[in-house]
Amino acid sequence: MKKLVLVLGLAILSVSCKSQNETAVITQKTSISQDNPKLVIGIVVDQMRYDYLTRFYNKFGEGGFKRMMNEGFNCKNNHYNYTPTYTGPGHASIYTGTTPKYHGIIANNWYDKELKEKVYCAGDETMNSVGTEDKSGQMSPHRMRTTSFADENRLFTQMRGKTIGISIKDRGAILPAGHTANAAYWFQGKDEGNWITSSFYRNDLPSWVTSFNTSDVAESYLKTWDTFYDIDTYTESGSDLNTFEGGFKGKETATFPYDLKALSKENKGFDILKATAYGNSLTTDFAIAAIDGEQLGQDAYTDVLTVSYSSTDYVGHNFGVNSKEIQDTYIRLDHDLERLINALDAQVGKGEYTLFLTSDHGAIEVPSYLESVKIPAGYVDNKMRKKRLNAFMTETYGASDLIESVSNYQIFLNREKLDSLHLDLETVQKRIVNEVITYPNVDKAYTATTMSSAYFSDGIEELLQNGFNQRRSGDVIIVDDPSYISYSRTGSTHGSGLNYDTHVPLLFYGKGISKGSTFQKTRIVDIAPTISALLGISFPNGAIGLPLEFVLKE
């Protein structure tokens, strides 16, 4: 009888402890839910080198970049861990926590080996444009194969947490927002000047977007673009008049000031705004309107807002990273960020949101400028390369149609033709590598077979492998000499695995974020897992990055 009483007592105690533990777990979960930020804002500044934070620091105000740097956490040695460093792959990698090897966005445009044609990373002809009659709304994220942290937040909250994506560029809005977004909006320029979307998300524009489009905000920025401060104080950039910048049609020199209304006639109407600092201001206006119009951060479920500032990229491509125009663009962006943060304070609440800022890639100094100061640099002669390669293929194999496409530093072979000639794929790949490595300004070349079968843990080879998608990438990958690009002699570009393209800012700020900085190397793929860990949600399904524990408050 005593044994029975003892057993019953232990059983009751066990049930009681189990009940208490379950209660503790439930309480903990409730606490986590209540403690999550009301809104996560991901900011991507297109083509922002890390050194813009330090180079222009003394010209920034206290409420934009400096507020994030001084009150948040600054990862000073943040890099892309793959190549090519383009806009589409960059945005996808930031939000999915993985690389093109897994998410499949291998470039902005690439040759589709199955369709036998070029495809666009966000293009989708099965969708309809919403807000315009132009085909520019036929977009979706269907080519991105993995989820974003925004997708995982939607799943975790049973679709109650909203996701809104915003960017001047369609891909800058679509890829970050993911597959389950409530909407993504981008700017339709030309003679329209409106924000549009795709039927992938909805079949009409919400009233707040329609109101914004009819308010003539875009029209108000067709004005004179002059420097924010006296141009003589812009000592952190080069001479305003030089031979390294592109400029606008209708203006003889690429020098301040720019009469945008007059110049818009020869520069595709509202599209001229994209390549000025005012494109970022317009994006900020629309983002603030979205916070109010979508009531983001106003309930118990975490929402996600993705904002990509595209005009920095257009300005960099046109004028170069050492121009007065790029400096003024970042000075004005700093004020736009301050406006956005102040709006978040007012509409969501101080301490109620979490924000991160990074970039989709960096950019090279204009090679013609580097040449002028005796740094090895220059331009690739693609016509010469193509001519020599075609001659080599014809001489070696007696066929001129063995190559289907050359794009994004890759050579795509006609595999059906190879089979018909009974040629071994790997052997042909190797012979092409041995041929192109002799061409001027080719630094390295690798076969797809090598990328698929070997393992690289460092150097440019690791970056190439992380950017190589077995199904979508080409048969031969080419790496150019450092500071040699395929581009015009004016303006900057990007795409390499070198530091000027991989080293980008990473700032965290707001709820749940520690205050500090680190020179420890961080990777772009670590951002999504860090935000997922902060929210207590599943990591994106293809994520290979790791949470940055030192960024998060315990």
Side-chain angles (χ1 to χ4, degrees), residues 305-316:
L305 173 64
T306 74
V307 181
S308 178
Y309 286 105
S310 306
S311 292
T312 43
D313 184 67
Y314 289 109
V315 174

Side-chain angles (χ1 to χ4, degrees), residues 316-350:
H317 277 296
N318 192 355
F319 297 96
V321 305
N322 196 44
S323 63
K324 300 293 188 192
E325 287 80 2
I326 205 72
Q327 178 166 4
D328 192 68
T329 295
Y330 277 90
I331 288 172
R332 290 179 180 275
L333 175 60
D334 181 59
H335 288 276
D336 287 323
L337 290 171
E338 181 174 359
R339 284 201 298 129
L340 179 60
I341 293 172
N342 288 341
L344 290 167
D345 287 344
Q347 295 175 230
V348 181
K350 288 185 178 180

Side-chain angles (χ1 to χ4, degrees), residues 111 116 389-390 393-394 397-405 412-418 420-421 423:
Y111 180 74
K116 306 295 184 186
L389 183 58
N390 285 337
M393 297 300 286
T394 301
Y397 299 108
S400 59
D401 56 351
L402 290 178
I403 295 176
E404 287 188 339
S405 177
F412 294 80
L413 293 173
N414 185 332
R415 299 195 177 193
E416 290 81 3
K417 186 70 174 180
L418 291 178
S420 70
L421 296 175
L423 295 171

Side-chain angles (χ1 to χ4, degrees), residues 32-86:
I32 289 173
S33 176
Q34 291 174 344
D35 200 40
N36 275 358
K38 292 182 177 180
L39 177 63
V40 171
I41 308 96
I43 297 176
V44 179
V45 183
D46 205 322
Q47 202 191 113
M48 184 176 183
R49 294 161 53 112
Y50 172 78
D51 64 353
Y52 289 162
L53 285 179
T54 53
R55 191 170 129 207
F56 303 140
Y57 186 84
N58 291 332
K59 293 293 191 296
F60 293 147
E62 298 299 321
F65 286 116
K66 281 185 179 179
R67 180 172 173 181
M68 286 182 272
M69 294 168 72
N70 297 331
E71 298 180 25
F73 201 96
N74 184 0
C75 297
K76 299 180 178 181
N77 190 21
N78 183 62
H79 288 263
Y80 274 85
N81 63 330
Y82 68 84
T83 184
T85 42
Y86 293 143

